[in-house]
Every structure is written in structure tokens, then in C-alpha cells.
Amino acid sequence: MKRVEAELLTDGGNDAVIRLPSRTFPGVLIQGDTLSALRNDVAELVELCAAGDLEEATYVAGLLHADLNAKLQRYTTALEAHGIPRPF
């Protein structure tokens, strides 16, 4: 394990925006339980598509999209607040 100081651009939480010393752009720290939940949601979406349940798949995909969109919005808001250009 290596200890480093990092810049915390948002409050902590499940999707804190953090910049490591060796990186130009910040990243998003996603807690393990949140990462596991995202993976499970994607697995459910894959299963629904394979089963041909497009109505439920569309619903689950919409929830995933909204969740990821909120995380991306938090990221871009943090960058703007600190005068950091977007990497995309």
C-alpha cells in the first residue's frame, strides 16, 4: 500500500471527485458496494435483453442512465467549480 495526498474536489460520499497527484484530470471514487450494485444492474439488463423483455430492459436501462448521468453531472460541476477543463 502506498499513501498519497489527493485533492478532494467535492465532499466525500459514494462518488467523490478526487485528483491524484500524478494525474492531470480528476476521477470519481465509487465505493465498492456502489460498484457492485452498478454491476448487478447491468447484469440484470443483460438478462432482460437475452430474455426478450424489452419493456423491463428499457426501464432498467433508463435507471442506469439516470444514475450515471447524475455522477457525470457531479463530476463536471466539480471541474467547473475548480476551473479544470473537461477531459472529454
Side-chain angles (χ1 to χ4, degrees):
M1 179 186 329
K2 179 179 177 181
R3 292 189 180 270
V4 298
E5 286 192 32
E7 296 175 305
L8 181 62
L9 295 139
T10 61
D11 59 348
N14 278 344
D15 52 3
V17 179
I18 297 174
R19 181 165 47 188
L20 296 174
S22 62
R23 303 297 301 200
T24 302
F25 296 104
V28 177
L29 174 66
I30 298 176
Q31 297 295 322
D33 59 334
T34 302
L35 180 59
S36 178
L38 281 170
R39 183 242 166 252
N40 291 341
D41 290 345
V42 170
E44 179 185 6
L45 179 58
V46 168
E47 289 173 10
L48 290 167
C49 288
D53 188 349
L54 297 183
E55 185 175 333
E56 188 65 19
T58 300
Y59 175 75
V60 171
L63 293 176
L64 281 165
H65 181 258
D67 184 35
L68 291 173
N69 193 52
K71 290 181 187 328
L72 184 60
Q73 183 59 52
R74 180 170 160 89
Y75 178 79
T76 56
T77 298
L79 266 58
E80 289 169 4
H82 295 280
I84 301 169
R86 293 181 189 181
F88 49 87

